[in-house]
Coordinates of all heavy atoms in Angstrom, one line a residue:
A99 N -10.4 -3.6 6.2 CA -10.2 -5.1 6.0 C -8.9 -5.5 6.5 O -8.7 -6.5 7.2 CB -10.3 -5.4 4.5
L100 N -7.8 -4.7 6.2 CA -6.5 -5.0 6.7 C -6.4 -4.9 8.3 O -5.9 -5.8 8.9 CB -5.4 -4.1 6.1 CG -5.2 -4.3 4.6 CD1 -4.4 -3.2 4.0 CD2 -4.5 -5.7 4.4
A101 N -7.0 -3.8 8.8 CA -6.9 -3.6 10.3 C -7.7 -4.7 11.0 O -7.4 -5.0 12.2 CB -7.5 -2.3 10.6
G102 N -8.7 -5.3 10.4 CA -9.5 -6.3 11.0 C -9.0 -7.7 10.9 O -9.6 -8.6 11.5
I103 N -7.8 -7.9 10.3 CA -7.2 -9.3 10.3 C -6.8 -9.7 11.7 O -5.9 -9.0 12.2 CB -6.1 -9.3 9.3 CG1 -6.6 -9.1 7.9 CG2 -5.4 -10.7 9.4 CD1 -5.5 -9.0 6.8
P104 N -7.3 -10.7 12.2 CA -6.9 -11.1 13.6 C -5.5 -11.7 13.5 O -5.0 -12.3 12.5 CB -7.9 -12.3 13.9 CG -9.0 -12.2 12.9 CD -8.4 -11.5 11.7
D105 N -4.7 -11.5 14.6 CA -3.3 -11.9 14.7 C -3.2 -13.4 14.4 O -2.3 -13.9 13.7 CB -2.7 -11.6 16.0 CG -2.5 -10.2 16.3 OD1 -2.6 -9.4 15.3 OD2 -2.3 -9.8 17.5
E106 N -4.2 -14.2 14.9 CA -4.1 -15.7 14.7 C -4.3 -16.1 13.3 O -4.0 -17.3 12.9 CB -5.1 -16.4 15.7 CG -6.5 -16.1 15.5 CD -7.0 -14.8 16.3 OE1 -6.2 -14.1 16.9 OE2 -8.2 -14.6 16.3
R107 N -4.8 -15.3 12.4 CA -5.0 -15.6 11.0 C -3.8 -15.2 10.1 O -3.7 -15.6 8.9 CB -6.3 -14.9 10.4 CG -7.6 -15.5 10.9 CD -8.7 -15.1 10.0 NE -8.6 -15.5 8.6 CZ -9.2 -14.9 7.6 NH1 -9.8 -13.8 7.8 NH2 -9.0 -15.4 6.4
M108 N -2.9 -14.4 10.6 CA -1.9 -13.8 9.8 C -1.0 -14.9 9.2 O -0.6 -14.7 8.0 CB -1.1 -12.8 10.6 CG -1.8 -11.5 10.6 SD -0.7 -10.1 11.0 CE -1.6 -9.3 12.3
A109 N -0.6 -15.9 9.9 CA 0.4 -16.9 9.3 C -0.3 -17.6 8.2 O 0.4 -17.8 7.1 CB 0.8 -17.8 10.4
D110 N -1.5 -18.0 8.3 CA -2.2 -18.7 7.2 C -2.4 -17.8 6.0 O -2.1 -18.2 4.9 CB -3.5 -19.2 7.7 CG -4.3 -19.9 6.5 OD1 -3.8 -20.9 6.0 OD2 -5.4 -19.3 6.2
L111 N -2.8 -16.6 6.3 CA -3.0 -15.6 5.2 C -1.7 -15.3 4.4 O -1.6 -15.2 3.2 CB -3.6 -14.3 5.7 CG -5.1 -14.4 6.1 CD1 -5.6 -13.1 6.7 CD2 -6.0 -14.8 4.9
A112 N -0.6 -15.1 5.2 CA 0.7 -14.9 4.6 C 1.1 -16.0 3.7 O 1.7 -15.8 2.7 CB 1.7 -14.6 5.7
D113 N 0.9 -17.2 4.2 CA 1.3 -18.4 3.4 C 0.5 -18.5 2.1 O 1.1 -18.7 1.1 CB 1.0 -19.7 4.2 CG 1.3 -20.9 3.5 OD1 2.5 -21.1 3.1 OD2 0.4 -21.8 3.2
R114 N -0.8 -18.2 2.2 CA -1.6 -18.2 1.0 C -1.2 -17.0 0.1 O -1.2 -17.2 -1.2 CB -3.1 -18.2 1.3 CG -3.5 -19.5 2.0 CD -4.8 -19.5 2.7 NE -5.9 -19.1 1.8 CZ -7.0 -18.5 2.2 NH1 -7.2 -18.3 3.5 NH2 -8.0 -18.2 1.4
W115 N -1.0 -15.9 0.6 CA -0.6 -14.7 -0.1 C 0.8 -14.9 -0.8 O 0.9 -14.5 -2.0 CB -0.5 -13.5 0.8 CG -0.4 -12.2 0.2 CD1 -0.8 -11.8 -1.0 CD2 0.2 -11.0 0.8 NE1 -0.5 -10.4 -1.2 CE2 0.1 -9.9 -0.1 CE3 0.8 -10.8 2.0 CZ2 0.6 -8.7 0.1 CZ3 1.3 -9.5 2.3 CH2 1.2 -8.4 1.3
S116 N 1.7 -15.6 -0.2 CA 3.0 -15.8 -0.8 C 2.9 -16.7 -2.1 O 3.8 -16.7 -2.9 CB 3.9 -16.5 0.2 OG 3.6 -17.9 0.4
R117 N 1.8 -17.4 -2.3 CA 1.6 -18.2 -3.4 C 0.8 -17.6 -4.6 O 0.5 -18.3 -5.6 CB 1.0 -19.6 -3.0 CG 2.0 -20.4 -2.2 CD 1.5 -21.7 -1.8 NE 0.8 -21.6 -0.5 CZ -0.4 -22.1 -0.2 NH1 -1.1 -22.7 -1.1 NH2 -0.9 -22.0 1.0
V118 N 0.4 -16.3 -4.5 CA -0.3 -15.7 -5.6 C 0.5 -15.6 -6.8 O 1.7 -15.4 -6.7 CB -1.0 -14.4 -5.2 CG1 -2.0 -14.6 -4.0 CG2 0.0 -13.3 -4.9
E119 N -0.1 -15.7 -7.9 CA 0.7 -15.7 -9.2 C 1.5 -14.5 -9.4 O 2.6 -14.5 -9.9 CB -0.3 -15.8 -10.3 CG 0.3 -15.8 -11.7 CD -0.7 -15.9 -12.8 OE1 -1.9 -16.3 -12.6 OE2 -0.3 -15.6 -14.0
E120 N 1.0 -13.3 -9.0 CA 1.7 -12.0 -9.2 C 3.0 -12.0 -8.4 O 3.9 -11.1 -8.7 CB 0.8 -10.9 -8.8 CG -0.4 -10.7 -9.7 CD -1.5 -11.7 -9.5 OE1 -1.5 -12.4 -8.4 OE2 -2.4 -11.7 -10.3
L121 N 3.2 -12.8 -7.4 CA 4.4 -12.8 -6.6 C 5.4 -13.9 -7.0 O 6.5 -14.0 -6.5 CB 4.1 -12.9 -5.1 CG 3.4 -11.7 -4.5 CD1 3.0 -12.0 -3.1 CD2 4.2 -10.5 -4.6
S122 N 5.0 -14.7 -8.0 CA 5.8 -15.9 -8.3 C 7.2 -15.6 -8.9 O 8.1 -16.5 -8.7 CB 5.0 -16.8 -9.3 OG 4.9 -16.1 -10.5
H123 N 7.4 -14.5 -9.4 CA 8.7 -14.1 -10.0 C 9.6 -13.5 -8.9 O 10.8 -13.2 -9.3 CB 8.6 -13.3 -11.2 CG 7.9 -11.9 -10.9 ND1 6.5 -11.8 -10.8 CD2 8.4 -10.7 -10.8 CE1 6.2 -10.6 -10.6 NE2 7.3 -9.9 -10.6
Y124 N 9.2 -13.2 -7.7 CA 10.0 -12.7 -6.7 C 10.6 -13.8 -5.8 O 10.0 -14.7 -5.5 CB 9.2 -11.7 -5.8 CG 8.8 -10.5 -6.4 CD1 7.4 -10.3 -6.8 CD2 9.6 -9.4 -6.6 CE1 7.0 -9.1 -7.4 CE2 9.2 -8.2 -7.2 CZ 7.9 -8.1 -7.6 OH 7.5 -6.9 -8.1
S125 N 11.9 -13.6 -5.5 CA 12.5 -14.6 -4.6 C 12.3 -14.3 -3.2 O 12.5 -15.2 -2.3 CB 14.0 -14.6 -4.9 OG 14.6 -13.3 -4.6
H126 N 11.8 -13.1 -2.8 CA 11.6 -12.8 -1.4 C 10.1 -13.0 -0.9 O 9.7 -12.3 0.0 CB 12.0 -11.3 -1.2 CG 11.2 -10.3 -1.9 ND1 11.4 -10.0 -3.2 CD2 10.1 -9.7 -1.5 CE1 10.5 -9.1 -3.6 NE2 9.7 -8.9 -2.6
T127 N 9.4 -13.9 -1.5 CA 8.0 -14.1 -1.1 C 7.8 -15.4 -0.3 O 6.7 -16.0 -0.4 CB 7.1 -14.0 -2.3 OG1 7.5 -15.0 -3.3 CG2 7.1 -12.6 -3.0
Q128 N 8.8 -15.8 0.4 CA 8.5 -17.0 1.2 C 7.5 -16.6 2.3 O 7.3 -15.5 2.7 CB 9.8 -17.5 1.9 CG 10.9 -17.8 1.0 CD 11.8 -16.6 0.6 OE1 11.6 -15.5 1.1 NE2 12.6 -16.8 -0.4
P129 N 6.7 -17.6 2.8 CA 5.7 -17.3 3.8 C 6.2 -16.5 5.0 O 5.5 -15.6 5.4 CB 5.2 -18.7 4.2 CG 5.5 -19.6 3.0 CD 6.7 -19.0 2.4
A130 N 7.4 -16.8 5.5 CA 7.9 -16.0 6.7 C 8.1 -14.6 6.3 O 7.8 -13.7 7.1 CB 9.2 -16.6 7.2
V131 N 8.6 -14.3 5.1 CA 8.8 -12.9 4.7 C 7.5 -12.2 4.5 O 7.3 -11.1 4.9 CB 9.7 -12.9 3.4 CG1 9.7 -11.5 2.8 CG2 11.1 -13.4 3.6
M132 N 6.5 -12.9 3.8 CA 5.2 -12.3 3.6 C 4.5 -12.1 4.9 O 3.7 -11.2 5.0 CB 4.4 -13.2 2.6 CG 5.0 -13.2 1.2 SD 5.5 -11.6 0.5 CE 3.9 -10.9 0.3
L133 N 4.7 -13.0 5.9 CA 4.1 -12.7 7.2 C 4.6 -11.4 7.8 O 3.9 -10.6 8.4 CB 4.4 -13.9 8.2 CG 3.9 -13.8 9.6 CD1 2.4 -13.6 9.6 CD2 4.3 -15.0 10.4
S134 N 5.9 -11.2 7.7 CA 6.5 -9.9 8.2 C 5.8 -8.7 7.4 O 5.5 -7.7 8.0 CB 8.0 -9.9 8.0 OG 8.5 -8.7 8.3
R135 N 5.7 -8.9 6.1 CA 5.1 -7.8 5.3 C 3.6 -7.6 5.7 O 3.2 -6.5 5.9 CB 5.1 -8.2 3.8 CG 6.5 -8.6 3.2 CD 7.5 -7.5 3.1 NE 6.9 -6.3 2.5 CZ 7.2 -5.1 2.8 NH1 8.1 -4.8 3.6 NH2 6.6 -4.1 2.2
L136 N 2.9 -8.7 5.9 CA 1.5 -8.6 6.3 C 1.4 -7.9 7.6 O 0.5 -7.0 7.8 CB 0.8 -10.0 6.3 CG -0.7 -10.0 6.6 CD1 -1.4 -9.1 5.7 CD2 -1.2 -11.4 6.6
R137 N 2.2 -8.2 8.6 CA 2.2 -7.6 9.9 C 2.4 -6.1 9.7 O 1.8 -5.3 10.4 CB 3.3 -8.2 10.8 CG 2.9 -9.5 11.3 CD 3.9 -10.0 12.3 NE 3.5 -11.3 12.9 CZ 4.2 -12.3 13.1 NH1 5.5 -12.3 12.7 NH2 3.7 -13.4 13.6
E138 N 3.3 -5.7 8.8 CA 3.5 -4.2 8.6 C 2.3 -3.6 8.1 O 1.9 -2.5 8.5 CB 4.7 -4.0 7.6 CG 6.1 -4.3 8.1 CD 7.1 -4.1 7.1 OE1 7.2 -4.8 6.0 OE2 7.9 -3.1 7.3
F139 N 1.6 -4.2 7.1 CA 0.4 -3.6 6.5 C -0.7 -3.6 7.5 O -1.4 -2.6 7.6 CB 0.0 -4.3 5.2 CG 0.8 -4.0 4.0 CD1 1.7 -4.8 3.5 CD2 0.6 -2.8 3.4 CE1 2.5 -4.5 2.4 CE2 1.3 -2.4 2.3 CZ 2.3 -3.3 1.8
V140 N -0.9 -4.6 8.3 CA -2.0 -4.7 9.2 C -1.7 -3.7 10.3 O -2.6 -3.0 10.8 CB -2.1 -6.1 9.8 CG1 -3.0 -6.1 11.0 CG2 -2.6 -7.1 8.7
G141 N -0.5 -3.5 10.8 CA -0.1 -2.6 11.8 C -0.4 -1.1 11.3 O -1.0 -0.3 12.1
L142 N 0.0 -0.8 10.1 CA -0.3 0.5 9.6 C -1.8 0.7 9.5 O -2.3 1.8 9.9 CB 0.4 0.6 8.2 CG 0.1 1.9 7.4 CD1 0.9 3.1 8.1 CD2 0.6 1.8 6.0
A143 N -2.5 -0.2 9.0 CA -4.0 -0.1 8.9 C -4.6 0.1 10.2 O -5.5 0.9 10.4 CB -4.6 -1.3 8.2
R144 N -4.2 -0.6 11.2 CA -4.8 -0.5 12.6 C -4.5 0.9 13.2 O -5.4 1.5 13.8 CB -4.2 -1.6 13.5 CG -4.7 -3.0 13.2 CD -4.1 -4.0 14.1 NE -4.6 -5.3 13.8 CZ -4.1 -6.5 14.3 NH1 -3.0 -6.4 15.1 NH2 -4.6 -7.6 14.0
R145 N -3.3 1.4 13.0 CA -2.9 2.7 13.5 C -3.7 3.8 12.8 O -4.2 4.7 13.4 CB -1.4 2.9 13.4 CG -0.7 2.0 14.4 CD 0.8 2.3 14.4 NE 1.5 2.1 13.1 CZ 2.0 1.0 12.7 NH1 1.8 -0.1 13.4 NH2 2.6 0.9 11.5
A146 N -3.9 3.6 11.5 CA -4.7 4.6 10.7 C -6.1 4.6 11.1 O -6.7 5.6 11.3 CB -4.6 4.2 9.2
R147 N -6.7 3.4 11.3 CA -8.1 3.3 11.7 C -8.3 3.9 13.1 O -9.2 4.7 13.3 CB -8.6 1.8 11.7 CG -10.0 1.7 12.0 CD -10.5 0.3 11.9 NE -9.9 -0.6 12.9 CZ -10.1 -1.9 13.0 NH1 -10.9 -2.5 12.2 NH2 -9.5 -2.6 14.0
T148 N -7.4 3.6 14.0 CA -7.5 4.1 15.4 C -7.4 5.6 15.4 O -8.1 6.3 16.2 CB -6.4 3.5 16.3 OG1 -6.5 2.1 16.3 CG2 -6.4 4.1 17.7
S149 N -6.6 6.2 14.6 CA -6.4 7.7 14.6 C -7.4 8.4 13.6 O -7.3 9.6 13.4 CB -5.0 8.0 14.2 OG -4.6 7.6 13.0
G150 N -8.3 7.6 12.9 CA -9.2 8.2 12.0 C -8.5 8.7 10.7 O -9.0 9.6 10.0
E151 N -7.4 8.1 10.4 CA -6.7 8.5 9.2 C -6.9 7.5 8.0 O -7.5 6.4 8.2 CB -5.2 8.6 9.5 CG -4.9 9.7 10.5 CD -3.4 9.7 10.8 OE1 -2.7 8.7 10.9 OE2 -2.9 10.8 11.1
S152 N -6.5 7.9 6.9 CA -6.5 7.1 5.7 C -5.2 6.5 5.3 O -4.1 7.0 5.8 CB -7.1 7.9 4.5 OG -8.4 8.3 4.7
I153 N -5.2 5.5 4.5 CA -3.9 4.9 4.0 C -3.7 5.5 2.6 O -4.7 5.4 1.8 CB -3.9 3.4 4.0 CG1 -4.0 2.9 5.4 CG2 -2.6 2.9 3.3 CD1 -4.1 1.4 5.5

Side-chain angles (χ1 to χ4, degrees):
L100 291 168
I103 295 173
D105 292 345
E106 61 273 7
R107 285 195 67 207
M108 280 199 226
D110 176 61
L111 288 174
D113 178 59
R114 293 167 56 203
W115 192 27
S116 72
R117 292 184 267 131
V118 300
E119 180 181 343
E120 293 78 10
L121 294 175
S122 64
H123 61 282
Y124 289 105
S125 61
H126 64 275
T127 57
Q128 300 85 8
V131 173
M132 295 312 290
L133 177 57
S134 175
R135 307 292 310 149
L136 183 56
R137 284 184 176 135
E138 289 181 292
F139 281 106
V140 168
L142 179 67
R144 287 176 180 172
R145 292 184 299 275
R147 183 176 66 181
T148 297
S149 62
E151 296 178 327
S152 295
I153 296 177

